[in-house]
Amino acid sequence: MKGINTTILILLAGLLTGILCESYLPISHKALLIFLSGILVLYTTVHFILKLRRGQHPITGILAFLLFMFLGVTVTQFNDPLKKTNHYTQVTSANSSQHLILTIVEELKPGFYDAKYIARLNQTDSIFTTGLVLLNITKDSTVQRSKLKVDDRIYVNQKLEKLTPARNPYQFDYAAYLNGKNIYAQITTSSKDLVNLKKQVKTLKGYAAKSRSHLQQKINSYSFNKDSRAVLNALLLGQRQELSSDLQESYSNVGVIHILAVSGLHVGILMLLVQFLLKPLGNFKTSRILRCILVIAIIWAFALFTGSSPSVLRAATMFSFIQLGLLLGQRQASLNAIIISAFLLILINPGLIYEVGFQLSYAAVFFIIWLYPKFEMLWEPKNKILKYYWQLIVVSIAAQIGVLPLSLYYFHQFPGLFLVANMIILPVLGILLIFGIVILILAGLNMLPAHVASAYDFLLTLLNTVIRYLAQFDSFLITNIYFSITLVFIGYAIIFSFGNLINKISYTRICIFLITLIALPTGILVLRKQQSNSSLYVLHQYNTSLLAKQDSSKKLIFYLPENKNISKSIVRNFKENQFINSIQNKPLKNFYLANTKKILRIDSLGVYDIPGLKPDYIILSQSPRINLDRLIHQFPEVKIIADGSNYKSYVMRWEATCRKKKIPFHNTYEMGFYKIE
């Protein structure tokens, strides 16, 4: 790929390597800064000597890579909030109520029983602290209180609670997701226990949230359909709280969920629109500079106004560099813009590389820019309408290819109707955005005619109707696809080798492409072999016992009471993450064998004195009334597991006994499932 800045590629590779390796390098801040300074001095010296001799040497590239690798380790450590001495995890206790002062940072989609916010913890008792927490405010119909806004400062006397981990295998781990956003605790309270503090500091994000709220109130005064209003808020204001679950699922199943998240697509359309409006400025040097400044300013104002989500900030950064590249007349400005924007964003926030949205957005844009020219040249229709739709098809296919391995890994499904849906939606999306921006401006100025609002409501209702209609063809939605991280790397190897083969057919490139194709079934066979060991899962199911056993023949057996049913999500998660040939349900037993491990299950009957039996694990279920001291005395080497069918008071007593006797104890209420191999 000619025109790519190889220097920034080397620096980005070094930065990524350092971020990924940071957890394996237990180096103190002081030692890290010494290493970084030493490599910087060495690199500067070597570079200066080579410049005097007008020579080049690979050592400079190696030193630059090492320099930015240690820079990656450094920024990762310094961005880790848990390593700050004033972080609330370092100075607070999770066992008692405390006087807490918080600032609202973001409003989340409410749950069925509570409103949810992300808040910054400013003070604990008399100690000034930092760090983000999840704030849950239980809904109470008897208390009428206005909802909290961004930048609101509140006081509450509550305790910090641990985040609940995933309780069953392959379940979405909300606690891990929040940890990725630097949230490590939650507070649950009610509206009547909150005290709003008058002294507040307004931020740009707060002013933007206030403006969005004002516009939402204006829009609510018109007779928009509920789903239309929800799509309008998502499409133009970046607020998805009002989207119903079934509508969101319909957009996801047909492969166009991305239009409901303000991202690169929306910013790109806005950029093209502004460029078109500023075209009368001409093509003089001063005009180009002015146009570039105006476009970048409008892009960032839009990013701030729509909530400053990570996706829109990434897009704003990327398109800003594209504008600068075009202004400077650089070749491959788009690809260089992607690389530079990714470099800067990761340098500011190293944790971005673990975010699904970051990975998907950059993969989509990169492969559109890389594959689009290769696919477009395969056919050049003369008709303008055919050419337009051909370009849409090519863009959709290039983006889908780019995100396919990651999508299969994270979501385990493939929307077969993505091409049809994109051909219908993308041509009108620009119209919906432009029309919507006009609607918001007129509503904000109290100049929006009712018939204009009704026309936009009709368009959004028609859009939702089409999406729901396409979502009915569920036979085109391929689900429960097993795809591991190993297959992700193999998948991208196939895509890159195929792209190079299209660019230039040669014997070497054909061989590389065939090798990557062969690697796919080989990798699947190796993964199947790795999953051949027998495993027993003690799952967490509220008020009942549930076990799952996977044997070497890839048969999955669920053990549960005869009058109970298994959650469909549990079955689906196993199918998506394991090679499963068949699934069976069987009644619970009191003895299990997983490889050489012996597992005894003690139920409400409390029977465990079986001659000759020396279990490795004991599962306590259905709140058996046993003398745990006597049980431990009889089996001193055993590990004890308490499932979700037990009374919590029993579990707490058992845990205290095991802690006193130094016996390993696992509580599925707090620690989730347990896997025995």
Side-chain angles (χ1 to χ4, degrees):
M1 289 179 279
K2 296 180 180 179
I4 294 294
N5 191 320
T6 54
T7 301
I8 196 69
L9 271 179
I10 293 172
L11 302 185
L12 178 60
L15 188 68
L16 290 173
T17 303
I19 294 170
L20 294 171
C21 293
E22 186 272 336
S23 59
Y24 303 101
L25 297 172
I27 305 175
S28 65
H29 287 344
K30 186 177 179 180
L32 197 55
L33 290 174
I34 292 172
F35 271 114
L36 192 63
S37 303
I39 295 174
L40 178 61
V41 170
L42 183 60
Y43 170 78
T44 306
T45 304
V46 171
H47 181 73
F48 180 73
I49 292 171
L50 289 174
K51 191 173 182 180
L52 287 177
R53 296 181 179 181
R54 296 182 180 180
Q56 293 182 345
H57 197 278
I59 189 65
T60 54
I62 296 172
L63 288 173
F65 179 87
L66 290 174
L67 176 64
F68 276 81
M69 186 185 80
F70 277 98
L71 180 61
V73 176
T74 304
V75 295
T76 303
Q77 282 200 6
F78 279 91
N79 275 275
D80 187 354
L82 295 179
K83 294 182 179 178
K84 295 180 179 179
T85 55
N86 63 337
H87 192 267
Y88 61 80
T89 56
Q90 309 291 339
V91 297
T92 61
S93 171
N95 298 320
S96 58
S97 296
Q98 296 164 310
H99 302 285
L100 307 174
I101 296 178
L102 308 102
T103 301
I104 302 300
V105 174
E106 182 181 348
E107 180 186 359
L108 302 178
K109 186 172 183 176
F112 189 76
Y113 298 106
D114 52 14
K116 294 180 179 293
Y117 301 88
I118 295 176
R120 183 182 300 107
L121 184 54
N122 301 320
Q123 189 172 331
T124 303
D125 292 333
S126 59
I127 304 173
F128 290 99
T129 57
T130 185
L132 300 176
V133 296
L134 177 66
L135 177 63
N136 305 300
I137 303 178
T138 55
K139 296 178 181 177
D140 187 351
S141 58
T142 63
V143 178
Q144 296 295 325
R145 183 182 287 266
S146 59
K147 70 176 183 179
L148 297 174
K149 303 178 182 64
V150 175
D151 288 342
D152 280 358
R153 291 180 75 246
I154 58 173
Y155 162 83
V156 65
N157 184 15
Q158 283 290 348
K159 65 178 180 179
L160 294 174
E161 303 169 353
K162 292 181 180 179
L163 298 170
T164 305
R167 286 177 169 169
N168 286 308
Y170 315 115
Q171 180 184 9
F172 174 67
D173 194 338
Y174 190 52
Y177 169 77
L178 291 176
N179 289 167
K181 293 183 174 294
N182 297 327
I183 301 170
Y184 301 96
Q186 62 181 339
I187 299 169
T188 302
T189 186
S190 61
S191 296
K192 62 183 180 181
D193 294 326
L194 292 177
V195 178
N196 278 71
L197 303 178
K198 292 183 178 180
K199 188 178 180 181
Q200 299 178 3
V201 178
K202 290 293 182 182
T203 63
L204 283 176
K205 199 170 183 178
Y207 284 118
K210 186 177 180 180
S211 300
R212 284 196 306 272
S213 179
H214 174 72
L215 286 177
Q216 284 176 320
Q217 290 177 4
K218 295 290 185 182
I219 293 297
N220 290 341
S221 64
Y222 292 86
S223 56
F224 277 92
N225 176 277
K226 182 181 177 182
D227 285 338
S228 298
R229 187 170 61 248
V231 171
L232 186 153
N233 285 327
L235 195 65
L236 298 168
L237 300 176
Q239 305 300 297
R240 300 171 64 175
Q241 291 91 340
E242 295 184 17
L243 282 171
S244 62
S245 299
D246 67 306
L247 183 61
Q248 196 164 343
E249 186 178 358
S250 296
Y251 274 84
S252 177
N253 289 346
V254 298
V256 291
I257 189 66
H258 54 278
I259 75 170
L260 296 181
V262 179
S263 59
L265 180 64
H266 305 70
V267 176
I269 291 173
L270 179 65
M271 182 185 74
L272 294 174
L273 173 63
V274 175
Q275 284 180 328
F276 175 76
L277 294 175
L278 296 177
K279 202 170 183 180
L281 289 176
N283 201 33
F284 301 105
K285 183 177 180 181
T286 307
S287 302
R288 292 200 305 271
I289 294 173
L290 178 61
R291 184 162 51 240
C292 179
I293 293 172
L294 289 174
V295 169
I296 292 175
I298 292 172
I299 284 174
W300 280 99
F302 178 73
L304 178 66
F305 183 73
T306 54
S308 305
S309 66
S311 58
V312 75
L313 288 178
R314 290 192 294 268
T317 304
M318 183 175 64
F319 282 111
S320 296
F321 277 100
I322 288 176
Q323 284 294 312
L324 291 172
L326 293 173
L327 178 66
L328 298 173
Q330 289 186 354
R331 296 172 61 195
Q332 296 289 354
S334 299
L335 284 174
N336 283 328
I338 293 173
I339 297 168
I340 296 171
S341 64
F343 179 85
L344 289 177
L345 288 171
I346 293 170
L347 189 62
I348 295 169
N349 181 10
L352 280 176
I353 66 170
Y354 300 107
E355 290 191 7
V356 179
F358 180 85
Q359 297 169 15
L360 290 175
S361 60
Y362 270 90
V365 175
F366 175 84
F367 281 98
I368 286 173
I369 295 172
W370 185 51
L371 291 178
Y372 174 78
K374 303 178 191 297
F375 290 160
E376 188 189 25
M377 62 186 294
L378 297 176
W379 184 40
E380 297 182 3
K382 304 294 183 182
N383 186 284
K384 288 186 177 180
I385 297 176
L386 280 177
K387 185 176 182 180
Y388 176 68
Y389 270 95
W390 171 241
Q391 290 173 340
L392 280 180
I393 291 171
V394 169
V395 167
S396 298
I397 292 175
Q400 194 65 45
I401 289 174
V403 301
L404 182 60
L406 286 171
S407 295
L408 293 178
Y409 174 67
Y410 287 115
F411 308 117
H412 303 282
Q413 67 178 31
F414 178 75
L417 290 173
F418 81 92
L419 193 56
V420 176
N422 278 288
M423 287 180 65
I424 296 172
I425 303 303
L426 290 182
V428 300
L429 183 60
I431 298 172
L432 289 173
L433 282 174
I434 296 167
F435 196 0
I437 291 171
V438 173
I439 291 286
L440 290 179
I441 293 172
L442 292 177
L445 297 173
N446 295 319
M447 297 172 58
L448 177 61
H451 66 276
V452 176
S454 298
Y456 195 62
D457 178 55
F458 172 77
L459 290 177
L460 293 178
T461 301
L462 182 61
L463 172 67
N464 292 334
T465 303
V466 171
I467 294 298
R468 283 197 167 105
Y469 174 76
L470 292 175
Q472 291 178 350
F473 298 94
D474 52 6
S475 58
F476 289 93
L477 179 65
I478 306 171
T479 59
N480 299 333
I481 302 173
Y482 171 80
F483 214 78
S484 69
I485 189 65
T486 302
L487 298 181
V488 171
F489 286 107
I490 295 174
Y492 277 115
I494 293 173
I495 294 171
F496 276 110
S497 60
F498 178 68
N500 285 328
L501 185 60
I502 292 176
N503 194 47
K504 182 181 178 182
I505 297 176
S506 67
Y507 175 77
T508 303
R509 296 189 180 193
I510 291 173
C511 290
I512 293 173
F513 177 61
L514 292 175
I515 290 170
T516 58
L517 285 180
I518 294 170
L520 183 60
T522 304
I524 292 174
L525 289 173
V526 171
L527 291 169
R528 285 184 67 92
K529 181 67 176 175
Q530 289 177 348
Q531 295 180 11
S532 60
N533 292 333
S534 177
S535 302
L536 182 76
Y537 296 86
V538 182
L539 306 177
H540 181 84
Q541 192 91 329
Y542 177 71
N543 205 28
T544 189
S545 295
L546 178 62
L547 285 80
K549 185 178 181 181
Q550 183 179 353
D551 59 21
S552 57
S553 63
K554 306 297 184 294
K555 181 192 295 183
L556 184 64
I557 304 172
F558 286 102
Y559 296 95
L560 70 163
E562 293 182 357
N563 60 339
K564 297 290 184 179
N565 295 318
I566 307 172
S567 169
K568 291 182 180 179
S569 62
I570 292 177
V571 178
R572 184 183 66 244
N573 290 337
F574 269 101
K575 284 183 177 179
E576 291 175 348
N577 293 276
Q578 293 285 334
F579 289 104
I580 304 296
N581 293 332
S582 63
I583 296 177
Q584 292 182 352
N585 293 347
K586 290 186 177 182
L588 284 165
K589 302 190 301 182
N590 291 96
F591 180 77
Y592 300 89
L593 193 65
N595 294 324
T596 59
K597 304 295 183 182
K598 299 174 184 177
I599 302 104
L600 174 65
R601 175 178 163 269
I602 303 176
D603 57 18
S604 58
L605 297 177
V607 177
Y608 62 86
D609 194 4
I610 303 173
L613 177 62
K614 291 185 178 181
D616 299 290
Y617 297 87
I618 290 179
I619 303 171
L620 300 177
S621 64
Q622 300 173 1
S623 303
R625 295 184 177 181
I626 58 173
N627 187 318
L628 195 60
D629 285 304
R630 189 181 303 163
L631 177 69
I632 293 172
H633 179 75
Q634 186 169 342
F635 305 114
E637 302 297 327
V638 78
K639 178 159 189 174
I640 296 176
I641 305 165
D643 66 17
S645 66
N646 299 290
Y647 297 131
K648 286 191 176 181
S649 57
Y650 282 34
V651 175
M652 292 174 64
R653 189 171 69 245
W654 293 335
E655 186 172 7
T657 302
C658 288
R659 192 184 302 115
K660 182 179 179 182
K661 299 288 185 179
K662 297 182 179 180
I663 295 294
F665 183 82
H666 185 94
N667 172 13
T668 63
Y669 276 105
E670 294 183 355
M671 305 171 72
F673 73 97
Y674 190 85
K675 182 180 180 181
I676 301 172
E677 295 182 290

